[in-house]
Amino acid sequence: MLFARLAHVSQEIAATLARSRKTALLAELFRGAEPADVPIVIPYLAGRLPQGRLGIGWKVLAQQIPPAREPTLTVQDIDTRLTAIGAATGPGSQTERKRLVAELLAAATEDEQRYLLGLLTGEVRQGALDALAVEGLAAATGAPPADVRRAVMLAGSLQTVAQAILTDGPPALERFRLTLGRSVLPMLAHSASSVTEAVAKLGTCAVEEKLDGIRVQLHRDGDDVRLYTRTLDDITDRLPELTAAARELAGERFILDGEVIAFDEDGRPRSFQEISGRVGSRVDVATAAGQVPVSPVFFDALSVDGQDLLDLPFADRHTELARLVPEPMRVRRTVVNGPDDLPEAERFLSDTLTRGHEGVVLKALDAPYSAGRRGASWLKVKPVHTLDLVVLAAEWGHGRRTGKLSNLHLGARSADGSFAMLGKTFKGMTDAMLTWQTERLGELAVEDHGWGVTVRPELVVEIAYDGLQRSTRYAAGVTLRFARVVRYREDKSPAEADTVETLLAAHPEVTR
DNA sequence: TTCCGACAGTGGGGTCGCAAT
DNA sequence: ATTGCGACCCCACTATCGGAA
C-alpha cells in the first residue's frame, strides 16, 4: 500500500467531526489492507509507530527538506527506513539519524511529510487514536467492539490483536486471555473534588491511601518475576527489591497491581522526585538501590493460582489479595457504608495526609477490574491548594489553540517587589477565557518574542496546584506541581498577589 | 430531550542516559 | 566535564460526540 493513501485518509479523518464517520473511514482502509501491511498500517492510523519511539524529536525534525513531487513510498518502505533509523546508536548516531530522516523526508510529498512528522512527534491531530482504531477494526471485521477492546487490553497491544482478527476473523479474539508474564493495561481513576462527592457517587466503597510513587504491575510465574509500568515498560531489572518481595509471598503464580514508594529514616514517604529518580536509574542499579531502597504496596490482584480475577467484584479480588499479601505490603484502607459513614472516610483521608501521603482513592466494592479504562468506579481525592499569581508572559498555542495566547508564565511577588517565576500553565481555560486572555495580554504586551509575548506584570490569576517541588529551572528553587487556572482576579492588584515567602512557608517540607 | 461516559487534544516539570560539544 | 535532547515518569482540564437515561 502506498503511504500516500494513509496520509490522505488521515487528512480525511482530521477533516471529519463525526466519530462514526471517522470509524467508517478507518474500517474501509483496514478492510483493504494487505496482511503484510497490517502490522504497520494499524499503528500508523492510531497515530503511533510500530517501533515505538525512535530517538527523533523536534530538533531532528526542524530541518526543512523540499518535498518530492510524486508519491512513491510504500508503507513497507517507510517501515524499513524507520527501523534503520531506530537501530542507529553509539557515537555519530545523532548525525546519522538526522541524515536518514532528511533522506526519508526528501522522498515524501508535502502531504506525506506532514503525516510523517505527526507520527514521529506523536502529534497526528486527526481526532482518532487507539480507541477509534479499535472501533474501526470491529467495524471492518464484524466483531463486537467490546470484545476487540477487551482483547487489546489483555494483549496490551493493538497491532497484535489487529493482525489476529484480520487474519483469522472474530474467533481469533478468544486467544487473548489474561496470561502470566504478559502485561495488561492498568485500570485508572477519575478525579473527584471531595470525599463527600465520591461517596455520594459510589455508595458503599473502599477508601484507600493514594501513594505518590510509580504504578507497577507485578507478575510471578514460579521463579520468573516480571515488573511493568503504567505504560507497560518492563522495569524488572531496575527494582530487584520487587523480585525479592514477590518471591517472599505465599503463592507461586499471580498478577498484582500496586505502587512503588520509598521511605526516609523517619518512616515518612519520600518525595515523588526521589522515587522517580530511583526507578529511572538503570545503569548502576545497586548504588541507586542503596541510596533509595523502595517498597511495593499492593492494592489489587488480577490473577491468583491461574485464576483470572478481572471480572470478579473488587471485594472478592481484595479477599484474594489479602490471602496472598501480608498486611504491611498492602495499601491501608477502610470501608465505608455510604453517606452515613462520611465521618469515617474524612477521618481516613485526614489521617492519610498526616502520614505524608497524597490523598485517597475510593473504589466501588462491586466493580470489576476495567483494564485500560478510566472507570467511574475508582475516584481519587487530593487536597488542592490555590494562589493568586501574576502573569509575566504568555506563549502562542498550537493545534486548536493556534492564534491564541495559551501557556501562561506565572510569578509570585518577591521581597524586593519584583516577580519570581514559579512555572507555567495552559490548563483550566475555557475557549472564552482563551479569547479574553489573548486580547487582554495583547494590551499588556511589552515585547513580542515570536514564541509569545512578555507583558507588564499587572494581571492577577488564581491558580490551583497540587504541591511544591524542588526546581533547578526557576530562581525561587521551587515550582508548582500540576498548576491550572481557576479564574482571573481582575479585582486584585499585583501588590495583592501571593509572595514567594508565604508560599515556601506553606510547604516547609520541600525546602527542609 | 437531557445527561454523562469516553476520547482527543493541549501542554506542564522532573529525572535519567546518551551523544555532542 | 558540561550541555542539550529524547524518553518516560507523574499529571489536569476542556470540548465534543454519541449512547444512556
Side-chain angles (χ1 to χ4, degrees), chain A residues 166-220:
Chain A
L166 286 170
T167 309
D168 300 334
L173 293 179
E174 285 168 30
R175 295 209 294 267
F176 297 97
R177 298 209 180 85
L178 190 61
T179 310
L180 285 185
R182 196 162 73 189
S183 54
V184 186
L185 291 169
M187 182 169 174
L188 307 172
H190 271 298
S191 292
S193 59
S194 67
V195 164
T196 309
E197 181 192 318
V199 172
K201 280 187 178 166
L202 298 178
T204 299
C205 59
V207 186
E208 300 185 339
E209 288 177 321
K210 185 177 190 317
L211 308 174
D212 195 9
I214 305 286
R215 182 83 174 262
V216 288
Q217 186 176 114
L218 187 143
H219 294 237
R220 177 178 174 191

Side-chain angles (χ1 to χ4, degrees), chain A residues 2 97 112 174 187 194 200 232 247 265 267 271-272 277-278 304 319 334 350 356 374 464 467 475 478 485 487 493 511:
Chain A
L2 277 182
R97 273 205 295 276
E112 289 175 318
E174 285 168 30
M187 182 169 174
S194 67
L232 310 187
R247 290 188 174 143
E265 309 77 41
S271 71
F272 173 76
R278 166 62 210 280
V304 173
T319 303
T334 187
S350 149
R374 209 171 272 285
V478 294
V485 171
R487 58 178 167 156
S493 74
T511 44

Side-chain angles (χ1 to χ4, degrees), chain A residues 178-182 218-226 246-256 301-309 320-321 323-325:
Chain A
L178 190 61
T179 310
L180 285 185
R182 196 162 73 189
L218 187 143
H219 294 237
R220 177 178 174 191
D221 186 359
D223 281 342
D224 190 22
V225 176
R226 294 275 110 192
R247 290 188 174 143
E248 289 296 309
L249 299 182
E252 291 268 311
R253 298 164 50 75
F254 51 77
I255 303 174
L256 302 179
L302 314 193
S303 169
V304 173
D305 293 335
Q307 200 200 339
D308 176 346
L309 308 178
E320 290 297 316
L321 177 74
R323 284 201 317 160
L324 186 68
V325 181

Side-chain angles (χ1 to χ4, degrees), chain A residues 237-301:
Chain A
D237 296 339
R238 296 188 217 166
L239 303 178
E241 299 101 311
L242 275 279
T243 299
R247 290 188 174 143
E248 289 296 309
L249 299 182
E252 291 268 311
R253 298 164 50 75
F254 51 77
I255 303 174
L256 302 179
D257 192 359
E259 191 91 359
V260 167
I261 58 170
F263 297 95
D264 64 19
E265 309 77 41
D266 306 327
R268 300 277 296 178
R270 288 187 191 254
S271 71
F272 173 76
Q273 284 172 299
E274 290 176 279
I275 299 161
S276 169
R278 166 62 210 280
V279 177
S281 299
R282 46 195 189 272
V283 172
D284 187 357
V285 170
T287 302
Q291 285 163 356
V292 183
V294 294
S295 320
V297 186
F298 297 105
F299 49 72
D300 213 325

Side-chain angles (χ1 to χ4, degrees), chain A residues 36-279:
Chain A
D37 288 338
V38 166
I40 308 167
V41 166
I42 299 278
Y44 281 4
L45 282 173
R48 284 180 291 104
L49 300 174
Q51 291 90 350
R53 306 296 309 180
L54 292 175
I56 300 173
W58 64 272
K59 185 70 185 182
V60 176
L61 298 173
Q63 46 185 340
Q64 294 283 329
I65 306 291
R69 291 251 190 87
E70 294 296 324
T72 55
L73 292 163
T74 66
V75 293
Q76 303 275 354
D77 293 334
I78 302 267
D79 188 57
T80 306
R81 287 169 181 248
L82 290 181
T83 299
I85 291 169
T89 52
S93 63
Q94 272 185 26
T95 317
E96 177 66 359
R97 273 205 295 276
K98 188 166 180 180
R99 188 185 68 75
L100 290 169
V101 168
E103 218 173 79
L104 175 57
L105 290 174
T109 64
E110 199 178 338
D111 285 353
E112 289 175 318
Q113 277 195 0
R114 194 178 314 120
Y115 186 43
L116 208 43
L117 292 178
L119 288 173
L120 291 168
T121 56
E123 298 172 1
V124 292
R125 293 177 172 141
Q126 61 184 11
L129 297 172
D130 269 39
L132 281 198
V134 164
E135 295 287 325
L137 201 51
T141 56
D147 292 2
V148 180
R149 196 177 304 125
R150 185 178 172 87
V152 170
M153 299 320 167
L154 294 178
S157 150
L158 174 63
Q159 63 251 56
T160 311
V161 174
Q163 196 147 27
I165 191 174
L166 286 170
T167 309
D168 300 334
L173 293 179
E174 285 168 30
R175 295 209 294 267
F176 297 97
R177 298 209 180 85
L178 190 61
T179 310
L180 285 185
R182 196 162 73 189
S183 54
V184 186
L185 291 169
M187 182 169 174
L188 307 172
H190 271 298
S191 292
S193 59
S194 67
V195 164
T196 309
E197 181 192 318
V199 172
K201 280 187 178 166
L202 298 178
T204 299
C205 59
V207 186
E208 300 185 339
E209 288 177 321
K210 185 177 190 317
L211 308 174
D212 195 9
I214 305 286
R215 182 83 174 262
V216 288
Q217 186 176 114
L218 187 143
H219 294 237
R220 177 178 174 191
D221 186 359
D223 281 342
D224 190 22
V225 176
R226 294 275 110 192
L227 192 62
Y228 303 96
T229 66
R230 193 163 93 77
T231 50
L232 310 187
D233 265 25
D234 187 330
I235 54 165
T236 311
D237 296 339
R238 296 188 217 166
L239 303 178
E241 299 101 311
L242 275 279
T243 299
R247 290 188 174 143
E248 289 296 309
L249 299 182
E252 291 268 311
R253 298 164 50 75
F254 51 77
I255 303 174
L256 302 179
D257 192 359
E259 191 91 359
V260 167
I261 58 170
F263 297 95
D264 64 19
E265 309 77 41
D266 306 327
R268 300 277 296 178
R270 288 187 191 254
S271 71
F272 173 76
Q273 284 172 299
E274 290 176 279
I275 299 161
S276 169
R278 166 62 210 280
V279 177

Side-chain angles (χ1 to χ4, degrees), chain A residues 357-502:
Chain A
H357 296 300
E358 197 183 7
V360 292
V361 186
L362 295 92
K363 300 178 176 175
L365 290 173
D366 56 359
Y369 191 90
S370 313
R373 317 213 85 181
R374 209 171 272 285
S377 47
W378 286 13
L379 296 172
K380 57 182 165 184
V381 177
K382 297 186 281 184
V384 175
H385 314 277
T386 60
L387 288 174
D388 290 322
L389 298 177
V390 176
V391 180
L392 305 177
E395 300 174 17
W396 294 109
H398 299 87
R400 70 185 299 280
R401 292 193 179 187
T402 300
K404 296 278 164 48
L405 286 170
S406 171
N407 199 6
L408 305 177
H409 295 198
L410 305 168
R413 271 194 303 133
S414 301
D416 64 2
S418 68
F419 293 95
M421 186 167 170
L422 290 176
K424 308 178 188 179
T425 185
F426 56 91
K427 296 173 187 171
M429 299 136 185
T430 62
D431 286 359
M433 286 168 79
L434 281 165
T435 302
W436 181 86
Q437 76 187 25
T438 300
E439 186 175 338
R440 186 76 186 91
L441 293 169
E443 292 164 8
L444 294 174
V446 292
E447 192 178 351
D448 192 329
H449 300 274
W451 51 262
V453 297
T454 42
V455 298
R456 294 199 301 277
E458 293 176 11
L459 187 59
V460 177
V461 62
E462 185 178 336
I463 297 294
Y465 66 104
D466 276 24
L468 272 195
Q469 43 184 359
R470 289 173 190 271
S471 173
T472 53
R473 177 180 312 228
Y474 296 110
V478 294
T479 187
L480 304 178
R481 193 160 181 215
F482 311 141
R484 60 267 191 190
V485 171
V486 178
R487 58 178 167 156
Y488 276 104
R489 293 301 304 264
E490 285 204 285
D491 56 315
K492 286 205 168 188
S493 74
E496 296 172 278
D498 283 298
T499 63
V500 177
E501 215 173 16
T502 55

